[in-house]
Amino acid sequence: MAFQVLGVHHVGVTVRDMKRSFEWYSRMFGLTPGPVSEGSGEALSRSVQVNDAALAFSMIMIGNTRLEFQEYHNPEGRDFDRSNGDVGSAHVCLEVSDLDAAYRDLVEKGAVFNAPPVTLDSGALIGSKWAYLRDPDGIQLEIWESPA
């Protein structure tokens, strides 16, 4: 190959209100948002395949990966309405040191989980724990604990 994949630079998520998302992710996970940038114009619209696109974007560092928030000022997007089973649906999985403690802490802070945590009892990932929750825009997140 003429190039090498070095890692994942960021995962992008479109949100309705970046300030609300920043507050939620900061309160829930202790994450600190980076500076906000703005973008618009023909090149951006063509690149993101959104007519007359104008947006703000910012990244939050999580370990050595970034979570990018994009808030479109134009056009106003539709609310997220996908399930995990829909083709193209994606989620962000945050690895935590203690899933049970994270679950309790997040519930106390008002997080809404789909169901209580699950522990895998067979297969290559036996002993791993996970749980799905949604952010204020209904975007699917996962918390994960690998076995010791």
Side-chain angles (χ1 to χ4, degrees):
M1 291 193 47
F3 65 92
Q4 179 183 8
V5 176
L6 302 176
V8 174
H9 183 270
H10 71 270
V11 174
V13 177
T14 301
V15 299
R16 173 74 55 212
D17 180 333
M18 193 177 305
K19 182 180 178 196
R20 177 183 70 177
S21 293
F22 282 166
E23 289 170 354
W24 190 85
Y25 281 82
S26 294
R27 183 169 51 88
M28 292 295 168
F29 302 109
L31 302 173
T32 304
V36 176
S37 298
E38 301 278 336
S40 63
E42 185 179 330
L44 173 69
S45 295
R46 191 171 44 255
S47 295
V48 298
Q49 295 184 323
V50 175
N51 291 332
D52 300 318
L55 59 86
F57 58 97
S58 180
M59 299 202 189
I60 290 179
M61 288 296 299
I62 305 172
N64 63 354
T65 301
R66 296 154 193 87
L67 182 58
E68 177 190 33
F69 293 106
Q70 301 174 338
E71 178 185 338
Y72 278 79
H73 304 304
N74 189 60
E76 184 174 322
R78 296 182 302 263
D79 287 338
F80 185 79
D81 66 350
R82 301 291 169 212
S83 77
N84 278 335
D86 291 328
V87 174
S89 288
H91 67 274
V92 174
C93 181
L94 303 174
E95 188 163 12
V96 298
S97 58
D98 182 332
L99 190 122
D100 296 322
Y103 179 78
R104 285 189 306 272
D105 184 59
L106 292 167
V107 167
E108 286 175 13
K109 292 175 181 174
V112 178
F113 282 82
N114 298 0
V118 173
T119 300
L120 299 177
D121 57 11
S122 64
L125 299 173
I126 191 168
S128 298
K129 299 178 183 181
W130 58 272
Y132 279 94
L133 67 151
R134 293 196 181 261
D135 82 355
D137 288 306
I139 296 166
Q140 193 77 52
L141 302 172
E142 180 180 9
I143 56 173
W144 178 279
E145 178 188 347
S146 297

